[in-house]
Amino acid sequence: MQDIVLLKDVYKIYTMGDVKVTALNGVSLAIKKGEFVAIMGASGSGKSTLMNILGCLDSPTRGKYYLEDVEVSRFSKNELAEIRNKKLGFVFQSFNLLSRTTIVENIELPLIYSKRISKRDIDKIHQMMRILGLEGLQKHYPNQLSGGQQQRVAIARAIVNDPTILLADEPTGNLDSTTSKDVMNVLTDLNHNMGITIVLVTHETDIAGYARRVVVLKDGKVLSDTPSPSSATPVVQAPRETAS
Amino acid sequence: MTALFKIALRAIMRNKLRSSLTILGIVIGVGAVIVMVSIGQGAKAFVEKQLESLGTNVLIIIPISTTHAAARGTTGTITLTAEDVFAIGKECGTVSHVSPGIRTTTQVVYGNMNWTTGVSGAGPDYQIIRNWQLENGRFLTQQDVNIMAKVCVLGRTVVNNLFGTLDPVDKWVRVKNIPFKVIGVLSAKGQSPTGQDQDDMVLMPYTTVQRKILGVTHIGYALASTITAESRFEAIEQITSLLRQRHRLRPNEENDFTVISQVEFASTVMETSRTMTILLGSIALVSLFVGGIGIMNIMLVSTTERTKEIGLRMAVGARENDILFQFLIESTVLSSIGGIVGIIFGIFTSKLVSYYGGWPSLLSSPSIAVAFLFSNMVGIFFGYYPARKASRLNPIEALRYE
Ligand SMILES: Nc1ncnc2c1ncn2[C@@H]1O[C@H](COP(=O)(O)OP(=O)(O)OP(=O)(O)O)[C@@H](O)[C@H]1O
Ligand SMILES: [Mg+2]
């Protein structure tokens, strides 16, 4: 199977005045289609920075990023916007739904930037909402929903454009443990049944347990890259790339 | 694009009070533009019509100067006579035609029909001075004046009301129970600049009106045409000194008559309209500028409040231009709403001004379109900076904004 994500020796260095912060210090990583990867590590280890680069929200200072064999690390802002629109889906810790905008309109948001929304899109959104247990909430507003429901709406929004990868930075960070389980089951289902590739950042080992591969970062480097202990059959073996 | 409009409208409706306060400057500015243009154009049309209906070389002489009238009340002896008018015609070199005039309002009867209208006494030159055309028959002659002939020339409105489709020439109408023979019909002239029906009138020899209808010896006014439009100033001087002499006024006495030139009257109107235009123009400019700043301010607030939303939109694929247009459309829709309200407000105000102030106003669709375009431009111009600022946000930082 081909690598849909390939990071080659990626650095991200933030310069603030004359202080330089190396958030990513030579990260190499390959992810294959259908994987479910958890990224862990201490606070400040570079998890969010890595997610931002994977999500084409930011470009690496040095190194290369291939998304489906296309080098996106040197793309312009507009090209990156288009990649995000077509190939990526985001789930955030704070759900980031638009208030005073109905659930359906929140879910279809990525579509309005690429095309005219058709009857088929609406049908698909309704079907998706049924699968995610959001039936009948179409015309509701985010503040009328529970946290878990809101996060499921965010997941629906993230997959409405059939992304290559779903990126979730601490998606359960704002949820209690029951709701967290609920959301993780949704993500696992999407990975299992629909074959959606998922990369997830978490602090919690039990959340990471839902993934089949765990990448641990430390000081901007990959410390370890192993199959998840609780996942019985790792689909893929982590590629052996040499860092730095 | 429609999606962006929806987003913009929703954002505006979200803060109705804030939005209405923001557009107030635009409303006043655009309203002032509308009033300014309609008053300016109204004045221009009024003056043009006035000049057209009376000619640039026509002088009107009315007895008793305005100051006299105020001092004595209107009951003072009226001193302008037909002889004065003939003297003007004979002795003032710059005057080409003169006609005495006298007016009254009375009922005209034909068969079982009657119509109340203005009856004007006139001389034969009246037609030349006013440059009126006949639709049928003939005008008054010197002979008619000399013998106080019981003849009349009818305006179109009078004909329509008394005769319908019949040809009135050679028919007889009655005024104060005296039969008058209809000798001619004036061509239709339509409304006067002040909105009066110029065809609602009957012309008779002035001698007939004086003796047979009113029983007086003086005249109401006189019309004089000068040989050229430029010679009117000289004519005013000549007429003034002649009449002062004829009325035996001592040097310290005021004129007991007034000579009015249409052109001077018109230029007074134009002067006033120009002053009003400048005044309203400044109000418009200041209001639009203040309104524009208000829009810029509210858009800066709005984009800051919605930083997180902008970040999210960017994350799901909005390009710089999508964000730029979203906020540009929002500011433009905002200012356009202000424009529309301002146009309504302006139309209403100009109607009020012309109704209560007696000032003519003329609303033209191009001026309304220009005012609307102007409001759009204010929105684009003042909305550009906040929109651009929003579109240049870094999505990561925008998403992290609290
Ligand atoms: N925009 C920035 N400017 C400067 N330094 C930054 C910026 N973003 C991140 N950093 C720094 O880069 C390092 C890695 O940050 P990052 O947010 O990736 O950590 P993280 O692993 O996500 O931590 P956490 O678990 O707390 O979310 C940190 O030292 C952080 O201070
Ligand atoms: Mg983080």
Side-chain angles (χ1 to χ4, degrees), chain A residues 55-57 75-88 90 110 113-114 161, chain B residues 313-322 395:
Chain A
C56 291
L57 287 164
F75 267 23
S76 71
K77 273 169 109 178
N78 275 342
E79 289 168 319
L80 289 177
E82 199 175 331
I83 293 285
R84 292 197 295 272
N85 188 245
K86 300 259 158 63
K87 301 196 169 178
L88 300 166
F90 295 92
Y113 292 110
S114 58
N161 57 344
Chain B
R313 287 180 184 279
M314 286 176 158
V316 300
R319 284 158 302 236
E320 239 173 68
N321 277 348
D322 291 321

Side-chain angles (χ1 to χ4, degrees), chain A residues 2 7 12 18 20 37 46 67 82 85 105 134 144 165-166 191 228:
Chain A
Q2 63 160 140
L7 290 182
K12 183 71 200 180
D18 30 44
K20 284 192 174 176
V37 184
L67 183 63
E82 199 175 331
N85 188 245
E105 285 170 319
L134 295 168
Q144 299 170 317
I165 322 169
L166 177 74
N191 178 253
S228 173

